[in-house]
Amino acid sequence: MAFNIYDELIKDGTLSDKNLQKAVNEAQTQNRNLNEVLVESGLLSEENLLKFLGKQLDMEFERLDTFTIDPNIAHHVPEEYARKYMVLPLFLLDKQLTVAVADPFNLQTIEELQRKNGLKIQRVLATKKNIQALLDHCYKHNVSQDAQSTGDNNAIVQQGLALLGDDAEEETSNLAEIAESAPFAILVDELFKMAIQMKASDIHIEPEETRLRVRMRVDGILREVLSHPLKLAPAIISRLKVLGDMDITERRRPQDGRIRINLSNKEIDFRVSSVRTIYGEKMVLRLLDRSNVLVTLDKLGFPKDTWDSWQRIIHRHAGIALVTGPTGSGKTTTLYATLNELNRPDVNITTVEDPVEYNLSRINQVPVNPKAGITFAAGLRTLLRQDPDIIMVGEIRDLETAQIAIQASQTGHLVFSTLHTNSAVGTMIRLVDMGIPHYLIASSVIGILAQRLMRHICPRCASAYKPSDEIRDRHRYLIDTLTQINGGPFEMFQGRGCKACDDTGYKGRIGVYELMEITDEISGMIHKEARSDELLQSAVKNGMRTLMQDGLEKIKQGKSTLEEVARVLL
């Protein structure tokens, strides 16, 4: 893209040369669209930017408020193109198709559409919000009006079954075309909307012997939300593959993809994984909610002493800080929040991740790509030649990566990474098992944060209660421990269940933390190869709050329950 067309914005004072160059650098570094960077950074509104570009490129800008869209011409722009590239067919006149676009520089898509249709294409500019508002109308017109107006999911399912006909579900010759049809577009869109509304972290689409089951993970718990006829499975899976740029013809080998949708003027990303099971392909979609991962560090719910220790650790000039826990325990959120706090113009922060789930402003992110020879170890080795101040390695999986991370920490770099261990002390054992000598661990590791996520009592229906005898017997250890810590009886709370929490009694999740700051005393013990129980005893003596202690404190504070602490920590 030639950037000199933006000079007029500098001349009229709308944009400073410094800010433009900063946006250009960010767009190039993150391989992003410059217009998106300008708008997201607040330097320009999308409408003002498009009006300006329209003048420079001799293109009309339209608000689309008064446009009447002809859905009969929708077939000239395949729906996946329309949604992915924000291209809206407006009208057809004398073999010239007029479309609204949000990106005037995406000429490749326009040229491809011209080749496929044999039509001349005229472009006008419109905002993503305006285009998105009309896309659903444009591509859902083939569904019966009754189904649309009543939200009758069953009517849409029946239309999908009718489209599939009597062909064997795995042999439908026109499956790709059917997958793009309106009923399946709606069924998939409804899945996305439901997941976002429920604040789910994952969608599981699972073929069984007689049906297609859909489950969603909400606050860490899987819940069944839908069941469809098994015959719909290939078309629904194919629809998701199309959206995720996956191979629709490959049904036996595992595949990975990524879907980005625009819903209610908000971009949502899904990481997609498919695998073959005995009843067909199963697909899991991980919802990548940018608003969750970009929270500030002070919103993570650290106890005061844990917060103070973590602040001391992350503001050291060198060393390795590790965040540990099982998959889904919030490690990425903690690391991204930490990097955001440290992200300043005078600091060079670089990461190597598998995959890069979120683009972070002003941070250089390198995706792992084994086919291109970029492993965690190779990527980390390369990053050390990029003059970094702070490095984040997505995960230490092997000895080579661990060795390079340690070398980096001992040459003046602050390194962050993750490990799959159950406790802070357990991380030491894992590093030793990898082959790292005790003396290197002692001289490089500066802090280990173990964490979990457990469900938060719904604040709308929270109430004090007395546990039944059955619950007391089941959780006798927890109750006795908390009674001892509290110095006597204590009041417990639970959620009664209400509309806000879908009658579960829980709403959202809260972090439980265990932070071992590597003091001189603990470092010396590691160097002398002290046992793990000795390290734990010393850390607790010096003020470390264990995961169990933090979990029990959450019960005492009325934030969670005995059942949750037992489920997550025992």
Side-chain angles (χ1 to χ4, degrees), residues 5-21 23 38-39 41-53 55-56:
I5 66 169
Y6 296 88
D7 288 347
E8 291 297 321
L9 289 172
I10 297 174
K11 290 180 182 177
D12 65 17
T14 303
L15 191 65
S16 70
D17 183 64
K18 180 180 179 181
N19 283 340
L20 175 60
Q21 190 57 51
L38 288 169
V39 173
S41 62
L43 296 173
L44 289 170
S45 70
E46 185 181 11
E47 182 171 327
N48 287 339
L49 175 61
L50 291 177
K51 284 179 178 179
F52 161 76
L53 291 175
K55 291 179 182 178
Q56 304 299 313

Side-chain angles (χ1 to χ4, degrees), residues 232-518:
L232 297 181
I236 290 175
I237 295 295
S238 295
R239 169 70 182 170
L240 291 165
K241 283 184 175 181
V242 168
L243 294 175
D245 287 329
M246 300 160 73
D247 185 354
I248 194 174
T249 64
E250 177 56 68
R251 297 178 183 143
R252 298 192 177 276
R253 289 188 299 177
Q255 292 190 68
D256 295 309
R258 190 159 182 150
I259 296 173
R260 172 170 289 184
I261 64 169
N262 193 300
L263 193 63
S264 301
N265 201 34
K266 180 181 179 183
E267 284 193 341
I268 306 292
D269 286 341
F270 293 87
R271 194 175 70 212
V272 189
S273 173
S274 69
V275 67
R276 179 78 179 189
T277 72
I278 59 174
Y279 296 117
E281 281 186 282
K282 173 185 175 179
M283 186 167 278
V284 175
L285 295 89
R286 167 64 56 91
L287 175 60
L288 305 176
D289 190 341
R290 192 176 180 85
S291 63
N292 284 343
V293 81
L294 296 183
V295 296
T296 55
L297 201 54
D298 60 337
K299 301 296 183 184
L300 295 183
F302 284 128
K304 178 65 167 58
D305 50 356
T306 304
W307 165 268
D308 291 341
S309 295
W310 189 242
Q311 287 292 313
R312 285 193 297 270
I313 290 167
I314 69 174
H315 286 94
R316 297 271 292 271
H317 74 279
I320 301 177
L322 298 169
V323 181
T324 75
T327 300
S329 59
K331 299 186 298 294
T332 299
T333 299
T334 298
L335 282 178
Y336 278 7
T338 299
L339 294 182
N340 280 328
E341 175 159 324
L342 300 174
N343 192 2
R344 304 188 308 272
D346 61 332
V347 176
N348 179 19
I349 302 177
T350 57
T351 75
V352 55
E353 305 172 57
D354 182 24
V356 174
E357 294 187 352
Y358 302 91
N359 296 328
L360 301 177
S361 178
R362 299 190 305 277
I363 292 179
N364 305 294
Q365 297 170 273
V366 177
V368 166
N369 185 354
K371 292 181 180 179
I374 303 176
T375 61
F376 275 119
L380 180 53
R381 191 179 292 109
T382 300
L383 292 187
L384 290 174
R385 297 193 289 268
Q386 294 288 314
D387 187 31
D389 298 302
I390 298 172
I391 299 171
M392 194 270 275
V393 184
E395 183 182 348
I396 294 179
R397 296 177 178 172
D398 51 49
L399 176 60
E400 184 181 10
T401 305
Q403 289 174 329
I404 300 171
I406 286 175
Q407 292 170 8
S409 71
Q410 294 184 332
T411 54
H413 301 92
L414 182 59
V415 180
F416 293 97
S417 190
T418 69
L419 275 174
H420 288 279
T421 59
N422 291 325
S423 66
V425 171
T427 303
M428 298 295 182
I429 300 172
R430 175 74 176 121
L431 290 172
V432 171
D433 287 345
M434 279 185 176
I436 304 298
H438 285 82
Y439 73 90
L440 283 181
I441 298 173
S443 63
S444 58
V445 178
I446 57 177
I448 303 172
L449 177 69
Q451 66 179 67
R452 301 288 190 278
L453 292 174
M454 64 183 187
R455 291 183 292 173
H456 193 293
I457 294 173
C458 175
R460 291 196 179 184
C461 61
S463 62
Y465 84 112
K466 291 184 178 180
S468 65
D469 291 341
E470 180 186 353
I471 292 177
R472 286 186 175 276
D473 290 341
R474 191 188 317 145
H475 302 301
R476 176 63 58 189
Y477 167 75
L478 296 178
I479 293 174
D480 289 348
T481 303
L482 190 48
T483 301
Q484 183 179 0
I485 293 173
N486 192 57
F490 58 95
E491 192 172 40
M492 284 187 285
F493 292 82
Q494 68 176 1
R496 297 186 307 273
C498 64
K499 187 175 181 181
C501 62
D502 199 19
D503 290 322
T504 63
Y506 297 98
K507 188 71 172 178
R509 289 192 286 179
I510 188 170
V512 186
Y513 302 100
E514 172 182 291
L515 176 57
M516 184 164 72
E517 187 174 2
I518 308 302

Side-chain angles (χ1 to χ4, degrees), residues 79 83 132 136-137 140 143 147-157 181-200 202-203 205 214-216 225-228 236 239-240 243 261-264 270 285 287:
E79 185 177 356
R83 294 189 184 277
Q132 182 62 40
D136 289 341
H137 167 75
K140 291 182 182 178
V143 177
Q148 289 191 57
S149 61
T150 63
D152 189 348
N153 188 267
N154 185 60
I156 297 170
V157 167
S181 64
F184 294 102
I186 291 178
L187 289 174
V188 169
D189 284 353
E190 289 303 316
L191 282 181
F192 293 153
K193 292 175 183 176
M194 185 182 297
I196 293 166
Q197 183 179 12
M198 295 176 67
K199 295 186 177 179
D202 303 84
I203 306 173
I205 302 171
V214 179
R215 294 190 292 171
M216 296 191 183
V225 295
L226 286 173
S227 179
H228 288 313
I236 290 175
R239 169 70 182 170
L240 291 165
L243 294 175
I261 64 169
N262 193 300
L263 193 63
S264 301
F270 293 87
L285 295 89
L287 175 60

